[in-house]
Amino acid sequence: MPELMDWAAILLRWGHVMAGIAWIGTSFYFNWFDLSVRQPAAPVLNGNVRGTLHEVHGGSFYYHEQYWPEQAPARMLAHGGPAQLTLLTGLGLMALFYWYGADVYLVDPQVAHMSKGHAIALSVGGLLLAWPLYYKLCRSVRDDRLIFFWMAVAIAVAACLYSHLFGGRAAFIQIGAMLGSIMVLSVHFVIIPNHIAMLRQIRAGEALDIAHGERAKRVSQHNNYFTLPVIFTMLSIHFPLATGHPLNWVILLLVMGFGVTLRHWRNLTFKKGRSDRRLLLCALALLAAAVGISKTDLSAPTETPKAAALPSDAQIRTIVHARCAACHSDHPTNPTFTTAPLGFRLDTLEQVKAGADKIVQRAVRGRDMPLNNTTGMTDAERAELGAWLASAQDGSK
Ligand code: HEC
């Protein structure tokens, strides 16, 4: 039932993105709110007020108070569902693509030879380890700056390891999934239980133990800093420039550093009401370093093979048929694909010519196609394809 698989993939992706937007949107909003409230000048509605905020949005004016309640309000809303749905749909996507299709999506024989079972075990193992390690770190280290230092070390080790085990795209997704699962499990195991504990205390008329709130806030703030790095990894399948580079894990770390620093710059701006340009410059320097590394082409053989003679149409047809058509065809033969990925078909030379720019980007200059080089395309064939496409483009001018 290939169509059912396609529908499952579409619904999971859709659900994952929508749940992620709802979760991150709310979380960013409350983080901004928490940093933007100010001590009220005038009397307020509740006691124990920590700050107030006036807002205008969508045609209405709003007034908020951030406070420690002394008694349970009649109506109290919480926000946990989207985070859990993001994890469930994300696991569904991992299972459908990266585990069920591990031979195509995870294993890249140019990086490391391994069986489908080993690849799945390495991926699942990483996911299972991530949260307990982070939780242990939070329990044993008080200083948040140290937490971020150790997280950076742990991510560097994991990124280096996975980029030497899996294809680049899979390595990025794996790191993102590990960090994303830490975020959701923090919501599930720390934030929500501490909220429930506080609600119980208020309802029982007991004094509120603020330590619960502080515990929840701490991991919530960590999550805020993890968000930009995780979203980068989730979008990274569209950045073959980064995932396909031999130093892809260093690029990943630098971009993650950029995301965290940018977030810190924004957070401090909310809190202090003015921007600290040094942090912004620091963030941009990390980004510039990532761009700089991505431009060094270490993968290019010292002598880029040049096509000896312009290949004939028949030769190109043979290459494309052997290396691409298993997936990019009206009738893919690769069992993972029921239809051509992104609808990009290469059954005829006209289609090859029409997709020339993209093909050069992904299979001639870039090397992330064929996906994980499952079809074993050689450098010579890339050069031939490049030469033929260049001459076809010249001819059509
Ligand atoms: C094992 C399956 C597989 C093989 C073989 C394969 N591709 Fe792909 N290709 C994919 C998948 C999956 C995508 C979509 C995901 C992505 O963008 O990376 C894709 C996307 C592309 C895109 C982007 C299309 C767009 O509209 O943006 C191009 C270009 C491409 N492939 C070219 C090639 C060429 C050229 C070959 C042969 C030399 C090839 N591919 C072989 C699986 C494959």
Side-chain angles (χ1 to χ4, degrees):
M1 294 252 222
E3 293 80 12
L4 277 186
M5 292 286 270
D6 281 359
W7 273 106
I10 290 172
L11 292 175
L12 280 172
R13 273 223 175 88
W14 198 4
H16 190 58
V17 172
M18 286 318 301
I21 289 175
W23 168 33
I24 298 304
T26 318
S27 144
F28 265 39
Y29 175 74
F30 278 100
N31 173 70
W32 167 84
F33 181 88
D34 185 52
L35 295 167
S36 304
V37 291
R38 299 286 181 263
Q39 277 299 321
V44 291
L45 303 177
N46 294 289
N48 295 334
V49 163
R50 303 165 68 202
T52 62
L53 189 71
H54 292 270
E55 276 186 286
V56 57
H57 179 82
S60 296
F61 293 88
Y62 296 83
Y63 171 65
H64 311 272
E65 286 181 358
Q66 187 188 34
Y67 72 115
W68 296 117
E70 276 153 358
Q71 47 189 311
R75 190 160 170 258
M76 173 78 81
L77 306 182
H79 307 261
Q84 289 152 337
L85 191 59
T86 309
L87 179 66
L88 290 179
T89 45
L91 282 178
L93 285 170
M94 283 296 283
L96 195 61
F97 288 97
Y98 290 88
W99 300 335
Y100 178 72
D103 43 349
V104 174
Y105 280 101
L106 283 182
V107 181
D108 183 341
Q110 301 164 108
V111 177
H113 285 278
M114 73 177 77
S115 69
K116 191 171 170 175
H118 278 143
I120 298 174
L122 283 167
S123 171
V124 175
L127 282 178
L128 289 178
L129 271 181
W131 157 257
L133 287 180
Y134 164 76
Y135 187 67
K136 184 120 193 56
L137 181 67
C138 289
R139 300 277 309 226
S140 37
V141 177
R142 286 276 97 220
D143 185 342
D144 276 353
R145 282 169 304 184
L146 270 183
I147 298 254
F148 273 87
F149 169 77
W150 285 117
M151 283 302 287
V153 172
I155 293 173
V157 171
C160 180
L161 196 73
Y162 279 112
S163 71
H164 288 89
L165 291 170
F166 296 161
R169 299 155 51 112
F172 277 42
I173 288 280
Q174 174 73 24
I175 298 296
M178 284 163 65
L179 206 50
S181 68
I182 287 179
M183 292 172 67
V184 178
L185 295 178
S186 283
V187 173
H188 189 79
F189 290 123
V190 180
I191 300 181
I192 294 179
N194 277 294
H195 286 172
I196 292 176
M198 288 197 292
L199 282 172
R200 280 215 184 99
Q201 288 175 333
I202 308 170
R203 290 202 179 111
E206 295 168 9
L208 197 59
D209 179 2
I210 292 173
H212 285 302
E214 282 166 355
R215 250 173 253 138
K217 180 168 169 167
R218 185 174 187 222
V219 292
S220 170
Q221 271 179 338
H222 294 173
N223 276 1
N224 184 260
Y225 285 98
F226 296 154
T227 306
L228 293 190
V230 168
I231 292 182
F232 173 74
T233 61
M234 296 299 152
L235 297 178
S236 65
I237 59 163
H238 302 293
F239 303 142
L241 188 74
T243 54
H245 197 278
L247 285 177
N248 55 7
W249 65 277
V250 180
I251 298 179
L252 176 65
L253 282 181
L254 289 168
V255 175
M256 284 184 153
F258 163 67
V260 170
T261 318
L262 198 68
R263 200 74 274 253
H264 192 48
W265 169 65
R266 290 308 294 147
N267 284 347
L268 284 188
T269 310
F270 299 145
K271 194 169 177 181
K272 297 185 174 162
R274 65 186 155 75
S275 144
D276 181 346
R277 295 235 171 77
R278 281 168 312 173
L279 267 179
L280 181 59
L281 286 177
C282 188
L284 291 176
L286 288 166
L287 183 63
V291 174
I293 291 185
S294 76
K295 283 170 76 76
T296 58
D297 190 359
L298 302 177
S299 69
T302 31
E303 295 231 340
T304 313
K306 292 255 178 324
L310 188 65
S312 65
D313 287 3
Q315 280 171 302
I316 291 302
R317 210 174 279 124
T318 310
I319 293 176
V320 172
H321 184 74
R323 309 303 185 202
C324 318
C327 307
H328 293 288
S329 162
D330 266 333
H331 306 286
T333 48
N334 186 311
T336 310
F337 298 96
T338 51
T339 52
L342 300 179
F344 192 72
R345 283 161 307 173
L346 297 173
D347 289 317
T348 66
L349 286 188
E350 279 60 45
Q351 288 170 331
V352 177
K353 278 185 203 161
D357 289 345
K358 288 182 179 175
I359 296 175
V360 169
Q361 194 192 10
R362 309 286 298 261
V364 179
R365 256 191 305 116
R367 281 149 197 276
D368 76 320
M369 282 294 144
L371 191 64
N372 289 342
N373 207 3
T374 31
T375 48
M377 190 171 195
T378 64
D379 283 345
E381 286 170 336
R382 291 184 197 277
E384 282 171 356
L385 188 57
W388 185 85
L389 285 171
S391 95
Q393 280 184 320
D394 284 348
S396 64
K397 268 183 197 152

